[in-house]
Amino acid sequence: MRYRFLQLIVLVLIFLTGCSGKDSDILSESQQESIQGQILVWHSFDGKIEEMIQQSFNDYMQLYPNVRIVNEYIPADQLEQEFRQQVNRGLGPDFLLTTSGVIPSLIQDNLIPVINDFDFSSYLPTAMSHVRYQGKIYGIPTSVMTQALCYNKKKVKSPPKTLTELLQQAKAGYSVGIWSTFITTFWGVQVFGGKSFNTQGDFVFDQKSWAKWMEWLKNAQAEPNMIFTDSIDVLQEAFTNNRLAYVFCDSSQFTDYSQALGKDNLGVTLLPGEGNNPAGPILYSRIILFNRMSSPEQQKLSLQLAQFFTNREQIRKRLMILRGSFIPAYQVNVNSRLFPLEAILVQQAKTAIAIPLDQVKSARVWVKEGNSLYPQVLAGNITPEEAAQSIAETVNQKLSQP
């Protein structure tokens, strides 16, 4: 997605006026030169995001000429295992860009250190819940993402606000692509009254609401214009080639969709709810972790890089290119007239579900069972009620084991 440079500078500056995140302190030339060393960074991002990461590191090395950053790409499906193996050998990166779900297992094996010397006062509580484990903080969140409903403005004039309206539009000829897996459709449970947390604040699986939602999905797939697939690549290809009016999307896709359709043709709206019940998609964060085996000096240098990487100026630069696809992990105020995509994402995040790290273990139990039973429900091999009961029983059984 390409924007006129000066116009975007003005808009992004206005957007971030309300940010309360703190920029790195301005150092004297002698102080800058005293910071020296080499930092090994691992990440699993490619394309435009990788380019922006490298640009941030180039900015840092220009400011601190005696520091060299070695930036290495590791495929996402190999990143955790490779990190684990190298750290156990006393090696590995000093600075790891990844997602928060890896934290509990890395803590269990004592591979990442606790972060003490960092100001988290202005960070979003939801983002902090993704790096805080048993009262201690192990990572630095950089951005927050979730799902929304994307649409082609050339095909759609008035997007639906409810599931009823969505189905009516499908019956009227508007094609709808649904990313159909257990976790990517979990947003609908809240629409049917599901509660994601009990009175003790524990994350729970609401089997009755999930069964009602699955019944709706099962009926909706009979409509020819409601296109269900578990392949995000299939949906993306169909949407960018103008074969779909709507697609249920992840915010990380906004940039690709905008570039493919044209920046004035991509529409983004809230996931449909019903009545007073909004959708509740899963919220996730990208984070920075450090290596326990790095020396104290290396950990201090890596933390200083993290402070630079997450300051407002660097966030501004990333927003210039990935505008609308993420929420900075710290508090922001968004002008909806100037930044409609960001405003939608911020609004959607307010009803999204952030699973705390302390409860990731239990969540993985019901997700594994749900992944197995979800396609069977849609195929009619098992009723939604039977599947929901099986998931609940599996969760209770697993969690009761020592």
Side-chain angles (χ1 to χ4, degrees), residues 256-272:
D256 290 339
Y257 284 161
S258 182
Q259 185 173 3
L261 298 180
K263 63 185 181 70
D264 296 326
N265 296 324
L266 174 65
V268 176
T269 190
L270 298 175
L271 295 169

Side-chain angles (χ1 to χ4, degrees), residues 120-172:
F120 291 104
S121 61
S122 59
Y123 276 67
L124 296 170
T126 49
M128 292 307 301
S129 74
H130 289 159
V131 295
R132 184 183 291 108
Y133 188 75
Q134 297 182 353
K136 297 179 180 179
I137 297 175
Y138 290 87
I140 299 173
T142 64
S143 57
V144 176
M145 283 147 289
T146 192
Q147 292 170 268
L149 179 62
C150 293
Y151 62 94
N152 189 329
K153 289 184 177 180
K154 287 184 176 181
K155 296 176 178 291
V156 176
K157 300 302 180 184
S158 180
K161 295 182 179 179
T162 66
L163 289 174
T164 299
E165 292 175 2
L166 178 69
L167 201 55
Q168 288 173 345
Q169 289 202 17
K171 292 178 182 296

